[in-house]
Amino acid sequence: MTTRLTIALIYGSGREGRFADTVAGWLEPELAGFSHYDIVRIDAAELAFTPGGLDEASAALVESRISQADAFLIVTPEYNHAYPAALKAIIDSCFRPWHAKPVAFVSYGGISGGLRAVEQLRLVFAELHAVTIRETVSLAHAWTQFDPAGNPFRPGILNGQLAMLMSRLAWWAHALKTARIATRYDEVAA
Ligand SMILES: Cc1cc2nc3c(=O)[nH]c(=O)nc-3n(C[C@H](O)[C@H](O)[C@H](O)COP(=O)(O)O)c2cc1C
């Protein structure tokens, strides 16, 4: 599996003072170590929202990055047993560009480590013809897992979980990319 893959790294929290930045401080340098991936970022904090979802310019940007991607890594917190509204607006901003592509999750939160948000996202992505990866990285009581400088207390465990998740994501990304090239997904069921 040597073909380069483009992965869209999606941050679902746009909250001021968000913990997402601490997660990103660990995650992004680790991802840079996977040298056969190109990363494009979609960050809720950098997008403009209207009551109906993303504004036109943000929607166009998100759609172009989702179209470009072979796979998705979603970084999501849990808000009231679900995922953030900003993430839903990102997801809902387009339809076909998600099709026949894999989605993996890094989640964080309180006691559940964001896993309840992830389970809901699996239902959403089924509707978008996307495949969710079983492996997750989940940070329970996330704020207790990093020192004040943002270094994880258990880097071996976290990095091992991330490596497993990225291996599975790459397998699905290659398999589905090959399949999409062989047969256009939207032509198989008219
Ligand atoms: C509105 C709100 C609701 C929350 N609900 C939950 C929850 O149901 N379960 C949980 O484990 N943590 C919950 N939390 C804690 C967040 O998951 C935690 O603060 C996380 O760091 C938020 O991510 P962010 O700072 O990147 O936005 C909630 C936080 C907020 C702000």
Side-chain angles (χ1 to χ4, degrees), residues 37-126:
Y37 299 127
D38 296 315
I39 307 280
V40 295
R41 290 169 95 260
I42 297 172
D43 188 339
E46 294 169 2
L47 300 171
F49 296 85
T50 71
L54 292 175
D55 79 1
E56 207 175 313
S58 290
L61 177 79
V62 167
E63 179 161 6
S64 102
R65 293 192 178 161
I66 290 173
S67 302
Q68 199 186 335
D70 301 305
F72 306 99
L73 182 57
I74 295 188
V75 182
T76 185
E78 180 169 307
Y79 294 167
N80 297 322
H81 294 201
Y83 48 85
L87 179 55
K88 189 64 161 59
I90 290 170
I91 293 169
D92 291 346
S93 67
C94 61
F95 183 56
R96 284 206 165 78
W98 291 105
H99 285 186
K101 295 177 183 176
V103 185
F105 304 98
V106 171
S107 67
Y108 58 97
I111 194 164
S112 76
L115 289 173
R116 289 174 292 215
V118 168
E119 291 306 303
Q120 294 201 20
L121 285 165
R122 293 186 192 283
L123 298 177
V124 172
F125 281 109

